[in-house]
């Protein structure tokens, strides 16, 4: 829910992740703010009535529960053929980025799947404890001890489910609300309503947090607010681009590099143009894409006289000019900042996040430059 001001809000690009793991075939990435939260929790748990290992297990179990919650979204999405690009773990939970927007009925089930996973984990643990006759009084849960560890994990899952079911964007409850609204209203309106609910909730939560001097609550409210704003911008971006071909928004006036060019040539082009990504050609065939970051890395590691062919990315993302623009936005954020538009094997344009932002801006002013 990182988010540069105004223009780039339209694009669901989540920078700032530090590590990634794979769960059930889905990439789960940790946002750096999540690591900060882990450190905070470990430090906050020290000196309570529990041992350090129990504290570590508790935190790891809650982290695992949030991850499984997200995997729940991803797997139900897959059931509806809505592919999950990745899961990013933030302090207030994970965000599953889907490749395209699901239909209302699908969105309902995809959103409900996450909290249902937490309810299932809690129910399983409570039943197991009950079975063993080890269920302790619930009032004791606020005082962490080693004895009530499993019960606290179960309780934590219930809190996760309840929090996520709040009927406000960007929480799952907000998605459920939107899917219900979208049955009778245009999607853009449904999204705006659900997002506004999220922002009202965030403001209320933030004010309460300030009055009660509960700064964790203020922190959560801040993320909810940003999330709601970003979700609605992303959804509006999807709506503004749906049914528009990639061709309408692509850059057609661009420069390319030859495979025999050096990093110095590329750097000169970077300075001379406003372009940041350069297709690398061999005759009229594209063989790679050299982005600004890779160029600078090559400059530092191999020097200006090395060849661009050694530094370029050979697994660039390509799209067809007739493809729906709305479907390529997530691909673009996955690829970094540029995808190549290719008709058969011929390069016809570049689709960059910069240009897409301009396109959306013009669209918003009712000026479709198609
Ligand atoms: Zn969720």
């Amino acid at each position: 829910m990182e988010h540069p001001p105004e223009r780039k809000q339209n694009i669901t690009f989540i920078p700032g992740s530090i590590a990634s793991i794979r769960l059930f075939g889905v990439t789960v990435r940790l946002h750096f703010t999540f690591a900060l939260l882990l450190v905070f929790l470990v430090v906050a748990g020290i000196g309570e009535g529990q041992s350090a290992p129990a504290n570590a297990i508790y935190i790891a179990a809650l982290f695992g529960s949030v991850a499984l919650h997200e995997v729940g979204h991803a797997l139900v999405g897959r059931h509806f053929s809505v592919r999950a690009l990745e899961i990013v773990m933030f302090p207030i939970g994970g965000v599953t980025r889907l490749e395209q927007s699901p239909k209302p009925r699908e969105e309902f089930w995809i959103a409900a799947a996450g909290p249902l996973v937490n309810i299932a984990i809690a129910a399983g643990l409570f039943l197991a404890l009950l079975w063993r006759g080890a269920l302790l009084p619930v009032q004791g849960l606020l005082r962490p001890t080693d004895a009530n560890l499993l019960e606290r994990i179960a309780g934590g899952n219930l809190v996760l489910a309840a929090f996520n079911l709040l009927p406000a964007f960007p929480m799952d409850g907000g998605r459920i609300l939107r899917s219900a609204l979208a049955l009778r209203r245009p999607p853009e309106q449904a999204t705006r309503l659900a997002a506004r609910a999220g922002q009202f909730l965030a403001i209320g939560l933030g004010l309460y947090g300030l009055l009660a001097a509960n700064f964790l609550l203020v922190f959560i409210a801040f993320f909810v607010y940003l999330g709601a704003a970003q979700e609605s911008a992303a959804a509006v971006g999807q709506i503004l681009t749906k049914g528009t071909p990639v061709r309408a928004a692509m850059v057609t006036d661009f420069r390319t590099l030859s495979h025999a060019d050096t990093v110095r040539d590329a750097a000169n082009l970077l300075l001379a143009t406003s372009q940041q990504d350069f297709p690398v050609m061999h005759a009229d065939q594209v063989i790679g894409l050299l982005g600004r970051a890779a160029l600078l890395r090559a400059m530092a590691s191999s020097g200006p006289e090395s060849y661009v062919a050694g530094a370029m990315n050979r697994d660039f993302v390509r799209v067809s000019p007739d493809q729906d623009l709305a479907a390529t936005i997530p691909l673009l954020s996955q690829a970094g900042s540029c995808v190549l538009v290719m008709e058969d094997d011929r390069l016809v344009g570049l689709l960059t996040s910069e240009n897409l932002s301009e396109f959306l801006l013009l669209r918003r002013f009712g000026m479709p430059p198609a």
Side-chain angles (χ1 to χ4, degrees):
M1 282 170 238
E2 200 74 339
H3 100 133
E6 202 40 52
R7 263 153 34 106
K8 287 206 173 162
Q9 268 184 24
N10 302 312
I11 294 164
T12 54
F13 176 50
I14 308 180
S17 40
I18 44 170
S20 76
I21 51 168
R22 279 182 81 76
L23 274 180
F24 300 96
V26 188
T27 305
V28 179
R29 296 197 298 151
L30 297 189
H31 193 255
F32 76 94
T33 48
F34 186 83
L36 292 181
L37 179 76
L38 282 184
V39 172
F40 169 77
L41 286 177
V42 170
V43 172
I46 289 173
E48 300 273 343
Q50 63 178 337
S51 64
N55 182 31
I57 292 172
Y58 176 70
I59 291 164
L62 280 196
F63 161 66
S65 302
V66 172
L68 287 176
H69 167 119
E70 297 305 323
V71 169
H73 291 310
L75 292 186
V76 174
R78 190 181 291 172
H79 171 77
F80 291 119
S81 308
V82 179
R83 209 161 62 87
L85 290 174
E86 63 182 5
I87 293 168
V88 184
M89 303 291 289
F90 287 98
I92 59 159
V95 173
T96 301
R97 289 185 47 236
L98 300 172
E99 197 177 61
Q100 75 259 30
S101 319
K103 297 185 189 72
R105 209 168 293 275
E106 297 171 354
E107 178 169 49
F108 175 87
W109 286 111
I110 295 173
L116 283 177
V117 167
N118 295 121
I119 291 171
I121 293 173
L125 285 173
F126 277 130
L127 281 178
L129 288 168
L130 201 63
W131 184 260
R132 284 171 36 197
L135 210 56
L136 298 165
V138 180
Q139 306 88 279
L141 290 188
L142 288 178
R143 292 195 49 250
T145 62
D146 289 7
N148 66 13
L149 176 63
L150 285 180
E151 214 169 318
R152 276 187 292 131
I153 294 171
N157 270 279
L158 285 186
V159 171
L160 280 176
F163 177 70
N164 277 291
L165 283 172
L166 287 175
F169 249 172
M171 265 78 70
D172 298 326
R175 279 169 226 284
I176 293 173
L177 174 66
R178 173 172 72 171
S179 66
L181 291 171
L183 288 175
R184 289 170 190 281
R185 280 164 221 265
E188 184 171 357
Q189 205 185 5
T191 303
R192 282 184 201 273
L193 282 173
R196 203 160 300 154
Q199 289 180 319
F200 273 122
L201 178 92
I203 291 168
L205 212 62
L207 284 178
Y208 177 79
L210 283 176
L211 290 175
N214 184 337
F215 293 105
L216 188 62
L217 220 52
V218 177
F219 178 72
I220 289 172
F222 178 70
F223 271 91
V224 169
Y225 192 90
L226 287 188
Q230 153 135 356
E231 283 282 352
S232 93
V236 170
Q238 282 276 335
I239 291 157
L240 287 175
T241 52
K242 216 170 181 89
T244 306
V246 166
R247 191 188 296 283
M250 70 187 185
V251 184
T252 49
D253 191 4
F254 57 90
R255 303 282 295 270
T256 61
L257 290 163
S258 146
H259 72 292
D261 283 337
T262 61
V263 167
R264 184 191 298 280
D265 298 324
N268 286 336
L269 213 50
L270 183 72
L271 279 177
T273 67
S274 60
Q275 224 171 303
Q276 306 240 325
D277 301 87
F278 299 94
V280 180
M281 315 292 290
H282 186 269
D284 59 353
Q285 292 290 307
V286 187
I287 53 167
L289 182 63
L290 184 70
R292 182 174 175 276
L295 195 167
L296 296 178
R297 262 201 311 275
M299 184 71 97
S301 63
S302 326
E305 302 314 326
S306 59
Y307 290 106
V308 291
M312 69 189 184
N313 172 18
R314 291 169 193 273
D315 302 316
F316 52 88
V317 178
R318 53 160 73 190
V319 297
S320 130
D322 301 314
Q323 209 165 320
D324 196 284
L325 193 54
T328 58
I329 294 179
L331 287 179
L332 188 60
S333 55
Q334 187 186 31
S337 58
C338 179
V339 300
L340 301 185
V341 186
M342 297 181 67
E343 197 154 39
D344 303 319
D345 264 340
R346 204 164 49 86
L347 179 65
V348 292
L350 305 181
L351 190 63
T352 67
S353 37
E354 264 300 281
N355 219 56
L356 186 63
S357 297
E358 306 289 9
F359 179 83
L360 289 173
L361 201 63
L362 292 172
R363 262 285 154 97
R364 200 168 269 178
F365 289 123
M367 226 181 81

